[in-house]
Structure formats: C-alpha cells, structure tokens
Amino acid sequence: APAAPAAPAARPTPPQVENLPALELRRVRAELGFSQAVMACRLRIPVAKLSLYEKGAPVPPEILKLALEQVVS
C-alpha cells in the first residue's frame, strides 16, 4: 500500500503580544499615582471593569482617551 502523504509542518505561532491599551492604562494610572478605585471613578467605570482592561480585555478607545486626558488635565 502506498504511504500516506506527510502532513504539512505546523507553522510556529507568533509570540503573544500584550494588549498595548492595557499597558497604557496601567502606565497612566501609575503615573498619576491612582489606585484602581480612584482611576475607575475618574473613568466612570466599575473597578472590576478597569481590572479586566488592565489584565488584557479589549479597551474601548473612549476609555483610553479619557485615561490619557487625566494626564494632561
């Protein structure tokens, strides 16, 4: 019986790239010296939501914009 064709080689998966908006949120919060509770209050979102964003959940652009505005105000 003929040999079965070889399976194609699996392509290596690219390295995980951290969620840059999450890193930016953490950086801004650290720069301001805010706790998560204070930052969440300033962004008008629950603390649990901010925590999720900082752990890598997608950050809505309007939240990131509000966070960056905290730095310049």
Side-chain angles (χ1 to χ4, degrees):
R11 286 192 285 171
T13 56
Q16 291 294 325
V17 176
E18 282 202 63
N19 183 332
L20 292 179
L23 290 175
E24 188 67 5
L25 270 180
R26 273 183 260 162
R27 184 195 65 77
V28 166
R29 185 168 68 79
E31 184 176 313
L32 294 169
F34 289 170
S35 66
Q36 280 189 332
V38 170
M39 189 68 172
C41 183
R42 295 283 183 107
L43 298 176
R44 296 181 217 102
I45 61 174
V47 176
K49 185 63 89 173
L50 176 60
S51 180
L52 287 174
Y53 292 154
E54 288 189 354
K55 290 178 182 172
V59 180
E62 60 273 13
I63 295 297
L64 189 56
K65 181 177 181 244
L66 273 173
L68 294 172
E69 287 172 355
Q70 296 296 312
V71 176
V72 296
S73 61

